[in-house]
Amino acid sequence: MTPRTAQELHFDTHDGVSLFYRHWPAVPAEGAERRGAVLLFHRGHEHGARMAHLVDELDLPDFDFYAWDARGHGQSPGERGHSPSFAHSVRDVQTFVEHITRRHGVREEDMHVVAQSVGAVLISTWAHDYAPKVRGLTLASPAFKVKLYVPFARPGLALMHKLRGLFFVNSYVKAKFLTHDPERIASYDSDPLISRPIAVNILLDLYEAADRVVADANAIVLPTQLLISGADWVVHHKPQHQFFQRLGSAVKEKIELPGFFHDTLGEKDRAGAVSSVRRFVLQGFDTPATPVDLRAADDATLDALNAKLRAECTALSTKGIDVAIEQVVYFPPQPFAPELVEAIRDGAKALGLQALHLVHRAFQAGRARLLPQLAHALQVGADAVGGAGGLGHGSSRWAGQVGAV
């Protein structure tokens, strides 16, 4: 198979910054068409070219491949390892996906995302907060909890950030602890685009986003494949297992790779792991998963969840822990009224924000200063519905209460 050649391109992200990315067009057989696209997201400190080997190794000629250089990495602008916030970079992902649809004609529904390490946290946060409709996710060694070998490092960094403002933390992880592949080690050590620093705000935001997404992974319903490196020097395993256990996906698989270092998809003996990724990608296109809709659970679903909760409590009681469950009140499952949803969307649009972006920005990392904007959107939306004979003034009063939080 002839190696594909990348096109080097740029896109303007949501704040006007031009970010760099590579595009490897599909090379389907004569008479065949492009089936979809695979989006590659690199780990921290690196850039998109570090994942370029997967374009040929995955052996998916009917698929476009795209790999960006995240803000502050590789050939993209910005201080090395810096972004205004982790949420800012998550929104960069959404803008990148929208750009691929607009410029290259690939629907979101025809995309599969492969991400490593910090890139995997970025993508899992995007999947949680933006609820995309991509075919599936492959997350390789997500950095939900980075191993900081200094006691109390995280609270210490937070305190120093408050006292000193922005500063940078250097990574001292050597390439020989990332992979056993001698070629990958040599290329890492000689690559001028790899940068050691990471901004302290991003490191702290990374922890906060990871904690939130792992705790609420049930909200992620996309088909998800999780690859875990068994001998990872960089990140902890426990949050990865917790994330997988809590995933709301109907289709999910976890593959543990004994002896693998952190650069999962760049390991010396990666052929088996890469083959598993290829299988999972094709599975998503050959047999699309039935969408999971959490907005209107029926009584059977709620009964099943109730039974599961009671079974867990019974299991705890066998360990000497007394647990009692009592149903206090019951509300039948109901979807939000469509007119209310549309009114809030219109209210957010009037502020120049997408509704989902607004809610995410308001609550991400406790940024209460955006709550008045959310309240304003709810106020506009509630007035619009009330004017149409829907909600009346009660919702307006509720919106005001949100603004006062």
Side-chain angles (χ1 to χ4, degrees), residues 169-208:
V169 179
N170 280 330
S171 168
Y172 292 100
V173 178
K174 297 182 182 297
K176 66 180 181 180
F177 296 121
L178 294 173
T179 177
H180 293 89
D181 186 332
E183 291 185 7
R184 294 280 290 178
I185 293 172
S187 63
Y188 185 94
D189 289 337
S190 63
D191 191 335
L193 293 178
I194 289 177
S195 56
R196 298 287 184 178
I198 180 172
V200 66
N201 67 307
I202 295 302
L203 184 58
L204 294 172
D205 279 0
L206 172 67
Y207 272 106
E208 291 181 5

Side-chain angles (χ1 to χ4, degrees), residues 236-399:
H236 292 278
H237 288 147
K238 184 178 179 179
Q240 297 171 346
H241 293 292
Q242 291 174 329
F243 172 79
F244 182 80
Q245 181 182 13
R246 296 167 183 167
L247 270 175
S249 313
V251 177
K252 61 180 182 179
E253 70 173 41
K254 178 172 65 176
I255 300 175
E256 298 184 54
L257 301 159
F260 271 45
F261 285 172
H262 184 61
D263 187 11
T264 312
L265 297 175
E267 258 292 16
K268 182 179 180 180
D269 298 321
R270 62 182 175 270
V274 172
S275 178
S276 296
V277 176
R278 182 180 188 276
R279 171 188 50 76
F280 194 76
V281 173
L282 290 175
Q283 174 184 309
F285 282 82
D286 293 339
T287 311
T290 302
V292 178
D293 192 344
L294 300 177
R295 295 172 298 175
D298 56 22
D299 280 308
T301 301
L302 295 178
D303 287 343
L305 291 171
N306 182 46
K308 183 178 179 181
L309 175 62
R310 290 180 181 277
E312 294 287 348
C313 291
T314 300
L316 284 174
S317 66
T318 64
K319 300 178 180 180
I321 302 174
D322 293 329
V323 181
I325 301 178
E326 179 181 355
Q327 181 172 304
V328 178
V329 66
Y330 170 75
F331 296 100
Q334 296 180 9
F336 283 108
E339 60 270 20
L340 174 60
V341 175
E342 290 304 317
I344 293 177
R345 279 203 184 104
D346 291 342
K349 187 176 180 181
L351 299 176
L353 294 168
Q354 295 183 30
L356 188 56
H357 293 170
L358 181 64
V359 175
H360 166 59
R361 289 177 60 201
F363 291 101
Q364 163 73 8
R367 289 180 173 82
R369 66 180 182 273
L370 289 172
L371 282 169
Q373 293 186 22
L374 175 60
H376 186 191
L378 291 169
Q379 177 78 48
V380 173
D383 288 347
V385 176
L391 289 178
H393 294 293
S395 296
S396 297
R397 288 197 298 273
W398 179 70

